[in-house]
Amino acid sequence: MSAHLNEELSAYLDGELHGDALRAVESHLAECAECRSTLEGLRGLVRRAQALDDRPPERDLWAGIASRIGEVAATDVVPLAPRRRRFSFS
């Protein structure tokens, strides 16, 4: 593989690769320091995400959001002026 790994790194980290795909990623990682560094960053992100306190909000937030959506007045919206197309022939 000459290109860097993208989606493959996430699948690799999640244990979703098997067979030839797994071997190809492992081979690439053995030779590509940039992808190894990216993989370590993803591992750190996973560790931090797992350490978060997973709790529901203390109250329902939708009522406040919905009321603020309705507060947007027409004066808050600035229409864009139509632009004339300019053509140039050379």
Side-chain angles (χ1 to χ4, degrees):
M1 277 184 200
S2 60
H4 295 293
L5 304 173
N6 293 314
E7 293 85 18
E8 294 92 342
L9 285 180
S10 181
Y12 176 78
L13 185 60
D14 293 340
E16 297 172 350
L17 297 180
H18 306 285
D20 291 341
L22 176 62
R23 284 187 289 279
V25 168
E26 288 175 339
S27 174
H28 181 86
L29 288 170
E31 297 184 13
C32 182
E34 188 173 337
C35 286
R36 284 193 307 272
S37 176
T38 301
L39 180 62
E40 285 310 307
L42 287 172
R43 285 181 173 146
L45 180 65
V46 168
R47 282 190 298 273
R48 288 190 301 275
Q50 289 172 337
L52 291 174
D53 184 20
D54 186 22
R55 57 188 165 92
E58 294 175 5
R59 59 186 173 81
D60 183 17
L61 303 174
W62 178 246
I65 294 169
S67 68
R68 284 190 302 247
I69 290 172
E71 291 174 2
V72 176
T75 58
D76 295 335
V77 179
V78 178
L80 295 176
R83 297 178 64 180
R84 291 185 176 184
R85 288 190 174 183
R86 181 176 171 191
F87 294 97
S88 173
F89 297 96
S90 54

